[in-house]
Amino acid sequence: MKKLALVGMLVMGLFIGQAQAQSAKVLVATGGIGGVYYYYGTQVAEILTKNNAVQATAIQTAASVDNMLLIRDKTDSDKKTYFLATVLPDTAYFTVTGKHEKFGEKPVKANILWMMYPNYLHVVTTNQSGIKNLADLRDKRVSTGAPGSGTEFTALNLLKAAGINPQDFKKWEKLGAKESDEALANGTIDAYFWSGGLPTGSIVELANTLKRKGMNLALVPLPKTDPGVAAFMEEFKGLADPTLISKDVYGLTDDVPTLAFWNMFVGPENLPEDLAYTITKTVFENLDTLHASVKPSKDTTAENTARFVGTTAIPFHPGAVRYFKEKGLVK
């Protein structure tokens, strides 16, 4: 009788979870067209919808900061409307803890569903710009990323650590990925910041465009020995790791030192546990589709996520943890 009761409870729980998924509405906040976030989030939404996990729609945004605002201000559990989002780890940390200026009085209540892939900080320029290090950005025409984006947040914090005031740039732009590519190719800026996966498709296209114009793509080195980089890593311990962008990724002459940040796929704290479980399970049972569509997503694996569970400043959602426990990857 006890076994029958247990089976009945499990079946009932399954039906409840399915009912929640069918009645809920999920919006996946991504990033700008041309960046990996946009394509990653769009593919996740398609996987969830096509597999009848939940009705999901991807929306274009300015990325990380705006995405966290959407989770905080637009999620409405009474209407069963939930925002999920792609986000940089430093942005997630500062918005959840209230250390970001837009979240000081009202931090966002968010949980991690899974880890996506490492983001690599790019400072993109050309071989003719004369920019060889972070300090050379002074007196140049520079874009720090779209307003409200994770790229902008990281760029401004790195510049602050390096003692560089963007107000002192010869020209300070705040452009998204696609607009930055166009501006660099047209010669209206000298460099721009971008935080994205490898390869970022728009930068691959930019390299080809520059070659047709008689120039070569270049990335500004950000070694841990650079005073600005060292100061940034000291202030944001545990959020960034020194790494290299291989010269083969964009056809460069040398490997380029930079910083890597593991992107997070997050949802609101009040996302129902069964729904969070269903979303996570559906995506991870269809990783072949995601990997085939978005190259950087090759690092989205159950094993990569499982090693972060219990170690992050932002907690994982209980529904997601349940899935990784079922896989035997988390105790």
Side-chain angles (χ1 to χ4, degrees):
M1 290 296 291
K2 287 184 178 179
K3 288 184 178 179
L4 287 173
L6 179 59
V7 170
M9 289 173 64
L10 290 173
V11 172
M12 183 64 71
L14 177 62
F15 281 129
I16 292 172
Q18 289 176 337
Q20 285 181 331
Q22 290 172 357
S23 61
K25 180 181 179 183
V26 164
L27 294 102
V28 181
T30 62
I33 295 175
V36 180
Y37 274 12
Y38 176 78
Y39 301 108
Y40 189 106
T42 298
Q43 192 60 50
V44 167
E46 288 183 6
I47 288 171
L48 294 175
T49 300
K50 288 181 178 179
N51 287 278
N52 299 314
V54 66
Q55 186 62 41
T57 303
I59 58 173
Q60 180 187 347
T61 70
S64 295
V65 176
D66 278 4
N67 292 355
M68 298 303 276
L69 284 169
L70 287 169
I71 288 177
R72 187 190 71 180
D73 299 337
K74 297 300 182 180
T75 286
D76 189 339
S77 58
D78 291 336
K79 294 181 179 179
K80 296 183 180 180
T81 299
Y82 303 96
F83 279 80
L84 309 181
T86 54
V87 64
L88 282 165
D90 51 350
T91 305
Y93 174 73
F94 273 72
T95 56
V96 168
T97 58
K99 294 182 178 180
H100 189 286
E101 59 182 9
K102 292 184 179 180
F103 296 81
E105 295 184 2
K106 187 181 178 183
V108 61
K109 294 180 179 179
N111 287 165
I112 303 169
L113 294 175
W114 64 82
M115 308 302 284
M116 294 164 51
Y117 57 88
N119 239 23
Y120 294 78
L121 184 59
H122 300 61
V123 182
V124 185
T125 187
T126 73
N127 63 323
Q128 297 180 10
S129 70
I131 303 171
K132 303 298 183 183
N133 54 52
L134 194 57
D136 288 341
L137 291 175
R138 290 187 175 89
D139 301 322
K140 298 293 185 180
R141 300 169 300 171
V142 181
S143 171
T144 52
S149 67
T151 292
E152 181 192 55
F153 185 70
T154 301
L156 295 181
N157 278 297
L158 178 59
L159 290 168
K160 182 179 179 181
I164 300 173
N165 187 342
Q167 298 286 355
D168 295 332
F169 288 148
K170 184 176 181 180
K171 182 182 182 182
W172 182 14
E173 295 281 15
K174 301 177 181 181
L175 307 173
K178 185 178 180 180
E179 295 79 10
S180 292
D181 290 331
E182 292 174 352
L184 188 65
N186 293 332
T188 58
I189 62 172
D190 302 306
Y192 70 87
F193 283 82
W194 170 249
S195 186
L198 297 181
T200 292
S202 59
I203 298 179
V204 174
E205 294 176 11
L206 173 62
N208 294 328
T209 300
L210 291 174
K211 282 183 180 179
R212 292 194 293 270
K213 296 190 173 205
M215 296 181 283
N216 289 321
L217 180 81
L219 298 179
V220 179
L222 299 173
K224 61 182 179 180
T225 53
D226 182 285
V229 175
F232 178 87
M233 292 182 64
E234 177 63 25
E235 184 173 357
F236 303 107
K237 285 183 178 178
L239 295 179
D241 295 315
T243 188
L244 293 173
I245 296 178
S246 170
K247 61 183 179 182
D248 299 327
V249 174
Y250 298 115
L252 305 172
T253 55
D254 299 293
D255 295 340
V256 179
T258 190
L259 298 174
F261 308 76
W262 267 91
N263 294 281
M264 300 170 175
F265 195 85
V266 302
E269 189 179 272
N270 64 357
L271 183 68
E273 182 174 330
D274 285 335
L275 182 53
Y277 168 82
T278 299
I279 289 169
T280 306
K281 178 181 174 68
T282 303
V283 170
F284 279 83
E285 287 185 346
N286 291 276
L287 284 180
D288 288 348
T289 301
L290 181 62
H291 292 172
S293 303
V294 187
K295 286 185 179 179
S297 74
K298 68 183 184 300
D299 290 312
T300 300
T301 67
E303 291 76 14
N304 276 342
T305 289
R307 62 191 177 90
F308 285 96
V309 175
T311 68
T312 54
I314 302 167
F316 274 76
H317 196 289
V321 173
R322 191 209 307 177
Y323 171 76
F324 297 112
K325 283 184 176 179
E326 283 186 2
K327 297 293 289 182
L329 298 171
V330 174
K331 294 182 179 180

